[in-house]
Amino acid sequence: MHAKFSPEELAFQEDVRRFMRENFTPELAARIHHPDTFRDASIEWQKLLDDKGWAANGWPVEHGGCAWSATQKYIYTTELAAAGAPDVVPMGIKMVAPVLYSYGSEEQKQRFLPPTKSSDIWWCQGYSEPGAGSDLAALQTRALRDGDDYIIDGTKIWTTYAQYADWIFCLVRTDNTGKPQQGISFLLIDMKTPGITVSPIISVDDEHHLNEVNFENVRVPVANRIGEENQGWTYAKALLTYERTALSGVAYCKRILTNIRKLASTAGLSGVRLIDDSDFRARLADIEMEVMALEYLELRVLSDIDSGGAPGMESSLLKLKGTELQQAVQTLQWDVAAGFGGVLPEADDELWESDGNRARREYMFGRACTIFGGSNEVQRNIIAKFALGL
């Protein structure tokens, strides 16, 4: 792993910057940030990325991936954040797709991978349940075999964007004997199937990201099962390592910190610049140094993946430290907003709304980031077991 870009990498960086300037327009950005147009605008953005060949950049080449190096992935993610552009909605391309191309049948790969890449299928994730959140192995949604179908009964909760989804990938219990991790299967379920009810959950930031999904006598073809019956826990663990790696939020933190530094250099309501306060400078510097350290850990993990490895315990480290840093950055962001009385000057990349409302919403919803994707308490247990042998 090296820290300086080659001429080829610098050319790639300029290509990414040019694409962002030409395609991620202010109009598209405004629609992605508005709840009424979010779904359609997100699909439009993913199709633009797919037309460029970048939407599924982490996939194997034979399935439409880019064969990018770890450095190219880093450049792309950094430039995406610098442009204020979102990555693809992760449930399809980054979460279910690796399970599909690793464990799915050829028929399932042909059926689901192309429309997932082109955003013609919007996925949601059916893992957590009212009684099985961080203790995912305690899930109780039942799948009873009935000939060539399963009959599904149960409830999933905290299901992100289920209100938009065409399909849900779901962990269900197909056997109650043995250890809790045994007897779990991985199913793909069409959200239009009779018996599925989606109920909204309005989160603390006043937004509708989350949902409860109820299954009542839902009939699902056995052909929609990924891999072997009762082996879903194995596939779920593989998915979670990729999900947790994606939760590090390094590029997000760097982008917010850049805007914080700009705003802190502007006089607030009191006429004082926060950047002139030594305590604030020390706080900002501490967070920036921790983000830099996490960035190099992420680069090391990406380099290992390039060499044929897979994210293991390191994904828990990235998730643990990354989400703590996201909360620290969001707290600092809101504190800066307070210095302007919640009415912030315009920033170059339009991160801030005039009333500072986005800073508030990001802070409020950010309280959940140390919980979703496997709580940070669970991540500490994983690190203790696999890194420290405790």
Side-chain angles (χ1 to χ4, degrees):
M1 189 182 78
H2 57 84
K4 292 184 178 180
F5 294 154
S6 68
E8 294 77 15
E9 289 163 347
L10 289 171
F12 173 73
Q13 182 183 52
E14 181 52 39
D15 188 26
V16 176
R17 288 177 176 175
R18 186 184 309 109
F19 178 85
M20 297 300 164
R21 288 195 302 268
E22 294 175 356
N23 292 276
F24 192 68
T25 63
E27 183 271 337
L28 179 57
R31 289 196 292 120
I32 284 178
H33 289 308
H34 196 287
D36 293 342
T37 51
F38 166 74
R39 184 184 190 275
D40 290 345
S42 296
I43 291 172
E44 179 182 332
W45 176 233
Q46 184 168 320
K47 286 184 178 296
L48 288 169
L49 292 172
D50 187 43
D51 290 343
K52 181 67 173 177
W54 291 349
N57 56 74
W59 291 13
V61 174
E62 61 267 27
H63 297 302
C66 296
W68 282 351
S69 67
T71 303
Q72 286 176 300
K73 292 174 186 175
Y74 166 77
I75 290 171
Y76 174 77
T77 303
T78 300
E79 294 303 327
L80 200 71
D87 203 348
V88 296
V89 177
M91 280 75 76
I93 281 182
K94 294 195 172 184
M95 294 168 67
V96 72
V99 176
L100 275 165
Y101 61 64
S102 298
Y103 303 105
S105 67
E106 286 305 314
E107 181 180 353
Q108 290 168 337
K109 294 174 189 177
Q110 292 296 323
R111 180 182 180 187
F112 291 109
L113 287 177
T116 297
K117 186 167 72 73
S118 63
S119 198
D120 291 323
I121 293 180
W122 187 295
W123 291 91
C124 62
Q125 179 190 46
Y127 274 24
S128 294
E129 298 183 2
S134 295
D135 184 14
L136 187 57
L139 66 89
Q140 293 299 316
T141 294
R142 300 189 312 276
L144 300 179
R145 186 73 176 260
D146 181 27
D148 292 333
D149 293 332
Y150 290 109
I151 308 299
I152 314 299
D153 287 280
T155 301
K156 298 295 180 178
I157 201 167
W158 315 125
T159 311
T160 303
Y161 298 143
Q163 74 270 33
Y164 303 137
D166 304 301
W167 285 75
I168 183 171
F169 55 96
C170 218
L171 291 182
V172 296
R173 186 159 297 284
T174 44
D175 190 345
N176 279 310
T177 63
K179 295 180 179 180
Q181 290 85 352
Q182 298 170 346
I184 294 174
S185 296
F186 195 110
L187 293 184
L188 311 179
I189 304 174
D190 189 334
M191 290 292 284
K192 296 186 295 295
T193 308
I196 297 178
T197 304
V198 177
S199 302
I201 298 173
I202 306 303
S203 53
V204 70
D205 61 347
D206 300 325
E207 297 285 343
H208 178 196
H209 314 279
L210 307 171
N211 302 271
E212 180 176 281
V213 182
N214 185 258
F215 300 87
E216 186 175 357
N217 295 320
V218 175
R219 188 171 288 270
V220 179
V222 172
N224 287 10
R225 186 189 69 222
I226 298 293
E228 298 296 322
E229 187 171 87
N230 300 329
Q231 296 300 309
W233 187 253
T234 299
Y235 315 139
K237 286 194 298 182
L239 183 155
L240 285 170
T241 59
Y242 286 96
E243 178 186 1
R244 288 166 184 162
T245 300
L247 291 174
S248 66
V250 168
Y252 166 81
C253 287
K254 289 176 67 177
R255 176 173 167 247
I256 302 299
L257 286 169
T258 297
N259 283 278
I260 286 173
R261 188 170 279 279
K262 288 179 184 176
L263 289 165
S265 300
T266 304
L269 293 178
S270 64
V272 175
R273 302 190 316 162
L274 279 172
I275 203 68
D276 296 326
D277 181 87
S278 60
D279 289 340
F280 176 85
R281 289 201 308 274
R283 185 179 169 196
L284 176 60
D286 284 345
I287 296 173
E288 287 176 330
M289 286 188 290
E290 290 198 64
V291 169
M292 183 183 296
L294 187 68
E295 182 176 23
Y296 276 88
L297 173 60
E298 184 174 52
L299 285 170
R300 194 179 75 192
V301 171
L302 289 172
S303 182
D304 289 343
I305 293 172
D306 276 351
S307 302
M313 179 273 299
E314 293 85 358
S315 67
S316 291
L317 284 169
L318 285 168
K319 196 274 179 183
L320 172 64
K321 191 61 182 177
T323 52
E324 289 179 347
L325 281 174
Q326 288 171 57
Q327 289 183 343
V329 167
Q330 288 159 353
T331 301
L332 192 61
Q333 173 181 243
W334 204 7
D335 288 348
V336 171
F340 290 90
V343 181
L344 297 167
E346 292 184 4
D348 293 341
D349 62 2
E350 299 181 354
L351 170 67
W352 308 88
E353 295 177 1
S354 60
D355 60 358
N357 192 39
R358 185 172 296 165
R360 177 192 66 84
R361 293 204 317 268
E362 288 190 2
Y363 174 87
M364 298 295 282
F365 191 72
R367 302 312 92 189
C369 68
T370 51
I371 301 171
F372 57 60
S375 72
N376 283 13
E377 290 77 10
V378 169
Q379 304 316 309
R380 288 187 176 91
N381 286 340
I382 292 172
I383 293 166
K385 180 178 180 180
F386 291 101
L388 305 176
L390 299 177

